[in-house]
Amino acid sequence: MTTRRRTRERVVRLGRSMRYRADRFLQSLSTWAKPPQLTAGAFATVVLLGTALLALPAATETGEGAGFVTALFTATSAVCVTGLIVVDTPEYWSTFGEAVILALIQIGGLGIMALATVLTMAVGRRLGLRMAVRTSSEAKSLTLGDVRELVKGIVTVTLIAEALLAAVLGLRWWLYYGESPGRAAYLGLFHAVSAFNNAGFALYSDSLEGFVTDPWICVPVAVAVVAGGLGFPVWLELWRFSRRRRERYHWSLHARITLVTTAVLLAVGFVSFLVLEWRNPATMGGLDPRDKLLAAFFQAVMPRTAGFNSLPFGEMNTQTLLVTDILMFVGGGSAGTAGGIKVTTFALLAFVILANVRGEPTVHVAGRRLSDGVVPQATTVVLMAIGLVVTATLALMTITPFSLDEILFETTSAFGTVGLSTGITGELPVAGEFIIVFLMFVGRIGPITLASALALRRRPRRYELPEERPIVG
């Protein structure tokens, strides 16, 4: 046996041993840690690490270091891909601080997509998960190798999409706005990562208001926000659809609901912004009709949930803010970078209402009957989300002088990890900032872990009590 062959066999044995040890470690870890605990712990660890890095003197322009609350708020907003800020990003943070924020956005976006996709597939196969990144090795289960391939696919799609968007934006800032090649590339990369991950962080003090009439900036950013908010399962189906004949491809119920509901909500948002703000001189009243269409489309996309804005929300009509609240609360697709209760949850409850109005005992959607456990899961997620937003709104109304419209907009934006604001974020007291931090964190990981936990912990009742029907309505 040659030396090269012996070396190759040793490397193979070492690789098998490492994979075996890693698998055993994951199994031992899963005996005491559950998916919600691991999810919260992992994201909390990244938030604390980001807080420590942003508190360094090198992270600020002044070199004095950010305060704990400022660093914690910014790190949470970046990891939870929200975009709410208490300080001006380009003026307060140094290049090192901006790089930390960019890294936190990428980690948060990829982490959420990978985790949510694994949990979604596990729920779809009716498996019992012991942890977020590892499932049992029994028949029909999602193995560690499957998870590895999923994560690899998510990373690949994400990096390709971000690279394409960065190239388009960088060329625009270089060739049209006269930025140096290095500065243009940096601006393109930062905003590409922020847009695709639905973060909404911008390197301009007024977000993207200066580009409200530029389709080469607004349209690519809006497309990236929609793509990131659809979720990896939908991307996968779109890719399979492109490789097969249309008449032979069968769309899953999840993909159909996500695509149709997203399109409907985008259309509703577009028409609402266009009608309600058409004559508002503080927003789009002074724009040309073509520019008004572009501004309305861009702002209809952002509640999907990215915090960019090309119009000042602090100057918008109350009706527009209410419509935006609803869109932000719904959010985007499951297993994506968007927040909110998710469009599938919203659509399923709409079908439940329709079935009850018709007097039908079961809920049917697109030729499929919903399983019995879906409706209680969706109802629980929505009611807990409403309770959280209402409680936080009441608390902020107690400790701040702002109006209900402003506070409700802020809390809904934080819970939906949107990042849009009427401008009151930086004026909140310390207690108010902690409330927003809690909302961002729970809004980012809460719906995913809650929905998966409800689906994966179903257990039969050993007995039933006597039935009685209370009066409803």
Side-chain angles (χ1 to χ4, degrees), residues 318-333:
T318 304
Q319 302 93 317
T320 309
L321 295 181
L322 180 58
V323 172
T324 309
D325 288 337
I326 298 173
L327 295 176
M328 292 190 299
F329 186 78
V330 174

Side-chain angles (χ1 to χ4, degrees), residues 429-444:
V430 174
E433 292 181 8
F434 276 113
I435 292 175
I436 297 298
V437 166
F438 176 76
L439 276 177
M440 290 189 293
F441 189 81
V442 175
R444 177 73 279 179

Side-chain angles (χ1 to χ4, degrees), residues 304-445:
R304 293 273 61 80
T305 52
F308 296 109
N309 63 281
S310 61
L311 298 173
F313 273 87
E315 303 295 332
M316 289 188 179
N317 296 318
T318 304
Q319 302 93 317
T320 309
L321 295 181
L322 180 58
V323 172
T324 309
D325 288 337
I326 298 173
L327 295 176
M328 292 190 299
F329 186 78
V330 174
S334 301
T337 56
I341 62 172
K342 304 297 187 296
V343 294
T344 48
T345 306
F346 174 77
L348 289 177
L349 289 183
F351 285 115
V352 170
I353 295 174
L354 181 61
N356 277 275
V357 170
R358 292 177 174 177
E360 299 174 352
T362 56
V363 182
H364 294 261
V365 182
R368 292 290 186 270
R369 182 177 65 86
L370 296 184
S371 61
D372 296 334
V374 171
V375 176
Q377 293 166 24
T379 305
T380 302
V381 170
V382 172
L383 291 180
M384 292 188 70
I386 293 175
L388 189 63
V389 171
V390 170
T391 302
T393 301
L394 180 61
L396 287 178
M397 289 183 65
T398 305
I399 63 176
T400 65
F402 303 113
S403 65
L404 173 62
D405 295 335
E406 295 172 319
I407 294 177
L408 181 61
F409 192 92
E410 197 79 9
T411 55
T412 307
S413 178
F415 170 78
T417 67
V418 181
L420 295 175
S421 176
T422 57
I424 68 172
T425 313
E427 302 178 21
L428 294 175
V430 174
E433 292 181 8
F434 276 113
I435 292 175
I436 297 298
V437 166
F438 176 76
L439 276 177
M440 290 189 293
F441 189 81
V442 175
R444 177 73 279 179
I445 67 173

Side-chain angles (χ1 to χ4, degrees), residues 13-33:
R13 287 197 299 269
L14 178 61
R16 292 175 179 173
S17 176
M18 292 178 64
R19 286 194 296 269
Y20 174 77
R21 292 178 182 274
D23 194 51
R24 291 297 301 272
F25 171 75
L26 292 174
Q27 287 181 352
S28 62
L29 185 64
S30 65
T31 59
W32 60 268

Side-chain angles (χ1 to χ4, degrees), residues 13-252:
R13 287 197 299 269
L14 178 61
R16 292 175 179 173
S17 176
M18 292 178 64
R19 286 194 296 269
Y20 174 77
R21 292 178 182 274
D23 194 51
R24 291 297 301 272
F25 171 75
L26 292 174
Q27 287 181 352
S28 62
L29 185 64
S30 65
T31 59
W32 60 268
K34 298 180 180 180
Q37 298 169 345
L38 286 176
T39 303
F43 274 84
T45 301
V46 178
V47 168
L48 293 177
L49 178 60
T51 302
L53 291 175
L54 291 177
L56 296 175
T60 62
E61 290 286 359
T62 60
E64 297 180 355
F68 172 75
V69 178
T70 300
L72 175 65
F73 191 101
T74 306
T76 305
S77 183
V79 173
C80 298
V81 290
T82 304
L84 289 174
I85 56 175
V86 291
V87 292
D88 191 352
T89 301
E91 297 294 333
Y92 186 85
W93 301 109
S94 65
T95 303
F96 172 76
E98 293 171 357
V100 171
I101 293 174
L102 188 65
L104 294 176
I105 292 172
Q106 189 72 87
I107 293 172
L110 283 175
I112 281 293
M113 281 192 292
L115 172 66
T117 302
V118 171
L119 291 180
T120 299
M121 292 192 66
V123 170
R125 299 184 184 189
R126 296 182 179 180
L127 297 178
L129 278 184
R130 290 185 176 180
M131 60 180 306
V133 296
R134 207 271 183 198
T135 58
S136 62
S137 58
E138 297 176 0
K140 299 183 181 180
S141 65
L142 192 63
T143 65
L144 188 60
D146 295 331
V147 175
R148 187 184 298 111
E149 291 301 319
L150 280 175
V151 174
K152 181 180 178 181
I154 292 172
V155 173
T156 301
V157 172
T158 298
L159 294 182
I160 291 175
E162 291 174 351
L164 292 175
L165 179 60
V168 173
L169 296 179
L171 288 174
R172 184 63 173 176
W173 271 307
W174 175 36
L175 299 177
Y176 186 80
Y177 292 99
E179 298 284 355
S180 64
R183 176 64 177 173
Y186 176 64
L187 289 172
L189 176 63
F190 189 97
H191 291 89
V193 174
S194 182
F196 187 79
N197 290 284
N198 284 207
F201 278 88
L203 294 181
Y204 294 92
S205 299
D206 59 354
S207 189
L208 298 181
E209 291 182 24
F211 309 99
V212 62
T213 61
D214 189 351
W216 289 98
I217 297 293
C218 293
V219 173
V221 169
V223 171
V225 169
V226 174
L230 286 178
F232 186 75
V234 178
W235 304 342
L236 188 59
E237 291 214 37
L238 290 173
W239 179 77
R240 290 173 177 171
F241 174 72
S242 66
R243 295 176 62 88
R244 299 182 183 181
R245 295 181 179 179
R246 297 184 179 180
E247 62 273 10
R248 293 185 177 180
Y249 187 78
H250 175 72
W251 291 92
S252 70

